[in-house]
Amino acid sequence: MPRFAANLSWMYTEHPFLDRFEAAARDGFNAVEFLFPYEHDVQAIAAALRRHGLSLVLFNAPPGDWAAGDRGTASVPGREAEFRAGIVLALQHATALACPRVHVMSGCLSASPTAHAPVLLENLHWACAQAADAGVELLIEPINRRDMPGYFLERQAEAHAIVNTVGAANLKVQMDLYHCQITEGDVATRLREHLATGRVGHLQMAGVPERREPDDGELNYPYLFALIDSLGFEGHVGCEYRPRAGTSEGLAWLRRERARSNDAGASPR
């Protein structure tokens, strides 16, 4: 069974943020992720993780002004100083929370893609050097433009080309199967292609098209989960979906995966 991480920005929103850690642990999750830690006391988050025996596996670097429409600054010309200050802050939080990876959002187009591309490469070169000193892996993620219009990075091959160009051992791709299906489709083939490179550091998933539980929608997730296992992916699969009703009530899919894993004689992870 894949190693699932509950995304506490999307799941358990029926609870206050710091109570979501207990709710996730009660449902059997060993790992969590969330979008941003910066509005909360970092020591309170660390204490919640310790208290409930959870590992934090991912959060995002500061995205700029989210309320104003920013979705990252890594590729945005003229905002290099803001991006670098955000990376410093993110790495401080990653160290305090023992989080091994940080998602760096590329941002939305404010000029031509040809103006954004060199900014992204230069920023990633700099950020990867800072992150290496902190022992942190950075991730870039292709995001569909239906949900995030104008986002710079949209396709898996584009992300892998950037990772290859930067050439840093601690830069990898965050492959979200929800975004991949909407933009490209043929998800199983893309998993086979990209997991084989060793450059995918984290997976995420949700049902398509409504971004609900993975047992809702057009993707056959039991097949994809078995494929992920067969390909030997050792990272986590983030559950970045919007529950139909209560989060715990919507975890029938996870109970089925655990039962399948037990029937197959595998150790649940």
Side-chain angles (χ1 to χ4, degrees):
M1 184 177 80
R3 302 167 70 195
F4 294 110
N7 188 302
L8 300 185
S9 298
W10 290 78
M11 302 170 71
Y12 300 104
T13 57
E14 58 267 39
H15 305 288
F17 180 73
L18 290 174
D19 293 340
R20 297 175 196 174
F21 297 84
E22 180 180 5
R26 191 167 55 241
D27 283 332
F29 285 101
N30 298 316
V32 296
E33 61 181 38
F34 44 71
L35 294 181
F36 309 110
Y38 312 107
E39 295 179 358
H40 306 279
D41 180 76
V42 69
Q43 296 306 322
I45 297 174
L49 290 165
R50 289 193 301 271
R51 185 180 309 119
H52 302 296
L54 295 167
S55 298
L56 176 61
V57 299
L58 175 74
F59 64 84
N60 292 355
D65 188 342
W66 189 272
D70 286 343
R71 295 297 183 265
T73 58
S75 77
V76 182
R79 300 183 69 174
E80 292 86 350
E82 179 183 356
F83 169 78
R84 295 185 180 201
I87 290 296
V88 171
L89 180 62
L91 293 176
Q92 290 171 348
H93 278 71
T95 298
L97 298 171
C99 184
R101 60 191 62 82
V102 171
H103 171 210
V104 177
M105 298 189 73
S106 299
C108 296
L109 293 168
S110 63
S112 73
T114 55
H116 278 253
V119 174
L120 178 60
L121 292 175
E122 183 177 351
N123 276 335
L124 288 175
H125 274 292
W126 179 88
C128 287
Q130 311 309 306
D133 289 342
V136 172
E137 185 174 270
L138 300 183
L139 306 176
I140 56 173
E141 178 188 21
I143 295 176
N144 84 79
R145 291 178 182 167
R146 185 188 73 191
D147 287 358
M148 204 168 284
Y151 195 73
F152 174 76
L153 185 58
E154 185 182 26
R155 304 183 75 84
Q156 302 300 315
E158 295 168 350
H160 282 267
I162 290 167
V163 169
N164 287 339
T165 300
V166 174
N170 64 329
L171 179 64
K172 293 189 176 179
V173 175
Q174 180 173 317
M175 184 179 185
D176 189 316
L177 306 187
Y178 166 82
H179 293 303
C180 183
Q181 170 67 2
I182 292 171
T183 300
E184 304 180 56
D186 204 8
V187 170
T189 297
R190 304 199 187 283
L191 279 168
R192 292 187 182 97
E193 176 186 359
H194 296 305
L195 292 188
T197 67
R199 293 190 297 268
V200 175
H202 190 71
L203 294 174
Q204 289 179 322
M205 59 85 180
V208 180
E210 302 296 336
R211 207 163 191 171
R212 300 296 189 185
E213 285 87 346
D215 57 3
D216 179 60
E218 64 195 46
L219 283 175
N220 182 357
Y221 270 110
Y223 172 81
L224 294 175
F225 294 151
L227 176 61
I228 290 166
D229 276 346
S230 73
L231 294 172
F233 181 71
E234 291 294 329
H236 284 84
V237 178
C239 305
E240 195 181 48
Y241 65 79
R242 187 182 300 105
R244 289 181 291 260
T247 302
S248 297
E249 292 81 356
L251 290 175
W253 69 268
L254 181 57
R255 292 188 287 272
R256 287 192 293 269
E257 280 301 303
R258 288 171 177 159
R260 179 184 67 82
S261 179
N262 289 337
D263 289 345
S267 299
R269 297 187 289 172

